[in-house]
Amino acid sequence: MKRIYFDNAATTPIDPAVIEVMREAMQKNYGNPSSIHAEGRIARAAIEDARKRVARLLGASIGEIFFTSCGTESNNMVLKGAVRDLGVERIITSRIEHHAVLHTVEKLAGVTIDYVELEPDGGANLTHLEALLRNDDRKTLVSLMHANNEVGALNDLEAIGNICEEHGALFHSDTVQTIGYYPIDLSKLKVHFISGSAHKFYGPKGVGFVYINGDHILHPFIDGGAQERNMRGGTENIYGILGLAKALELVSENREANRTKITELRDYLRSQLLENFEDLVFNGDPDRGHYKLLSVAFPPSPRTEMLLLNLDIAGVSVSGGSACSSGADAGSHVIEGLNGDPDRKTIRFSFSHYNTREEVDFVVEQLRALLPVKEGVEN
Ligand code: PLP
């Protein structure tokens, strides 16, 4: 049965060229990067080469990129490390961050957590951020995501970095949804930490990275070995790391062409939905948010109750919010944080450059079979 995958904000398929790099490394590059013999040295050199390529693509120094197991680990490493090693006493974040940030800061004992107000589209209210930073001289870390994974709201890293610098605050951004999709030049931005995850940009699962600005040294998050330049004990996931670097190169090279294609698909779906269905609400602001994502709140009705499941049965994979709430529809802290109507049914469509216009047509056809169609539109 034909299946349509419109859940690329949850994870992406792996680019075949990435699989090839990983397959070759699995066959030939099996040495332990910590061994001093030839096999070990070859493996070590491959990892350092990957680090250099990732650093170059992001405008960082080679010593500022550390490979991790995923975006969640990277976020944990920064937030916990900043409190433990840099004397951070206060964290400013938002209510619509990924749980990898929210649940981590909630666990930090003795740290004050402040939540910045949000604009209607989900972006951080920068006037409020500035007010929170003014009149408080405690050492502060601001953690605000670049793009929200459920509604696509984008934050302006440059503007936030400038505000943080003005008030002497550290700045971390969870850039898991934007790495590869938007150019990020760390040599220009005033951001001290970012987090990335390969499986969001057509790389493998189980590997991510963290950027730690060279002026703000954190101690290891995982002890037990000198790997990752003394920052993360444990034998490296060499295949994953090589796959991540290749994936980042490919998405960076093809960024503009892919962006045009994905934006067209997203806009086509939006116009088709508006043509066929009544009373739709788009969460966030599709014109200003991440181009790969369209979050649609359908009006409450018994037919929208099981929409996610019925779409799955019809061969369409989408999400109700983030990946963790798809299937088990637990309600979304992001929609709640944006004061969305809890009775409406949110479906997140998220695209890749592998998707096609024909797939959008198929999805709209399935939706037309499942939902009441606008009056006057032929059924
Ligand atoms: N941060 C954001 C914004 C995400 O969308 C995700 C994944 O859904 C994560 C962090 C977690 O990344 P990972 O799956 O690599 O742990």
Side-chain angles (χ1 to χ4, degrees):
M1 179 194 169
K2 172 165 145 182
R3 287 205 66 87
I4 311 294
Y5 187 75
F6 278 1
D7 200 15
N8 292 278
T11 195
T12 49
I14 309 181
D15 189 305
V18 171
I19 296 177
E20 189 44 37
V21 163
M22 294 176 70
R23 194 194 58 76
E24 202 181 313
M26 280 178 193
Q27 270 181 339
K28 297 187 187 150
N29 207 343
Y30 54 82
N32 186 323
S34 298
S35 299
I36 54 166
H37 49 57
E39 285 82 353
R41 291 198 306 275
I42 291 168
R44 162 74 44 223
I47 290 177
E48 291 313 313
D49 179 61
R51 195 188 315 281
K52 189 163 82 189
R53 285 149 55 210
V54 170
R56 189 174 42 77
L57 287 165
L58 297 171
S61 300
I62 186 163
E64 295 176 319
I65 300 293
F66 302 94
F67 295 112
T68 62
S69 68
C70 59
T72 302
E73 182 187 324
S74 302
N75 286 338
N76 268 264
M77 191 165 164
V78 169
L79 297 163
K80 291 176 178 169
V83 172
R84 187 190 57 183
D85 305 327
L86 303 176
V88 164
E89 302 163 277
R90 178 186 186 222
I91 295 178
I92 300 177
T93 187
S94 86
R95 298 223 180 256
I96 63 167
E97 298 298 304
H98 191 274
H99 282 148
V101 165
L102 281 180
H103 288 172
T104 305
V105 297
E106 281 160 16
K107 287 228 166 101
L108 287 166
V111 176
T112 304
I113 313 297
D114 286 313
Y115 296 94
V116 71
E117 285 167 12
L118 297 168
E119 301 288 353
D121 73 343
N125 177 324
L126 300 191
T127 312
H128 186 234
L129 176 64
E130 204 154 9
L132 285 173
L133 284 167
R134 216 180 297 128
N135 309 326
D136 195 319
D137 45 19
R138 282 175 294 177
K139 179 97 180 183
T140 299
L141 172 75
V142 171
S143 180
L144 290 171
M145 66 206 315
H146 192 190
N148 182 271
N149 50 301
E150 293 193 31
V151 299
L154 280 168
N155 278 318
D156 182 342
L157 297 187
E158 193 182 335
I160 296 173
N162 289 339
I163 294 172
C164 288
E165 185 178 72
E166 200 180 312
H167 296 276
L170 292 167
F171 178 27
H172 163 246
S173 186
D174 176 344
T175 50
V176 163
Q177 290 290 346
T178 51
I179 291 288
Y181 295 86
Y182 290 88
I184 292 180
D185 184 351
L186 293 164
S187 70
K188 299 218 170 81
L189 292 169
K190 287 161 185 157
V191 54
H192 304 101
F193 312 100
I194 66 167
S195 313
S197 180
H199 75 96
K200 306 286 186 184
F201 52 86
Y202 313 97
K205 289 164 189 62
V207 62
F209 72 87
V210 60
Y211 159 80
I212 301 178
N213 176 274
D215 295 334
H216 301 279
I217 309 294
L218 300 182
H219 297 308
F221 183 59
I222 298 178
D223 294 307
Q227 289 90 349
E228 282 306 295
R229 300 169 167 237
N230 277 320
M231 273 298 287
R232 183 177 188 269
T235 301
E236 297 89 338
N237 172 7
I238 176 165
Y239 321 116
I241 290 169
L242 301 192
L244 181 152
K246 181 70 182 174
L248 187 57
E249 272 169 359
L250 291 170
V251 279
S252 304
E253 268 164 38
N254 301 314
R255 182 159 39 230
E256 288 317 310
N258 290 346
R259 179 182 181 145
T260 304
K261 178 171 185 197
I262 294 171
T263 308
E264 272 169 20
L265 288 176
R266 196 265 321 255
D267 290 348
Y268 180 52
L269 175 64
R270 182 166 46 154
S271 68
Q272 287 298 299
L273 291 177
L274 287 169
E275 219 165 88
N276 282 280
F277 305 103
E278 237 152 21
D279 190 20
L280 301 179
V281 172
F282 295 101
N283 298 308
D285 179 349
D287 291 317
R288 290 170 33 140
H290 198 316
Y291 56 88
K292 77 174 168 187
L293 200 150
L294 189 66
S295 173
V296 189
F298 290 91
S301 94
R303 289 165 84 177
T304 54
E305 266 315 295
M306 303 293 281
L307 192 51
L308 209 58
L309 182 67
N310 285 330
L311 281 171
D312 190 21
I313 292 166
V316 177
S317 298
V318 288
S319 169
S322 66
C324 25
S325 59
S326 54
D329 201 2
S332 153
H333 71 283
V334 174
I335 303 300
E336 195 186 329
L338 292 175
N339 300 318
D341 179 350
D343 294 331
R344 282 179 170 268
K345 181 78 191 167
T346 286
I347 299 289
R348 177 187 71 179
F349 302 90
S350 51
F351 305 91
S352 79
H353 55 273
Y354 297 120
N355 293 130
T356 62
R357 225 175 142 86
E358 290 68 40
E359 290 182 335
V360 174
D361 289 333
F362 180 83
V363 170
V364 173
E365 210 178 291
Q366 301 313 309
L367 284 167
R368 283 168 53 93
L370 292 166
L371 297 175
V373 174
K374 225 181 202 177
E375 227 171 281
V377 177
E378 218 174 281
N379 217 341

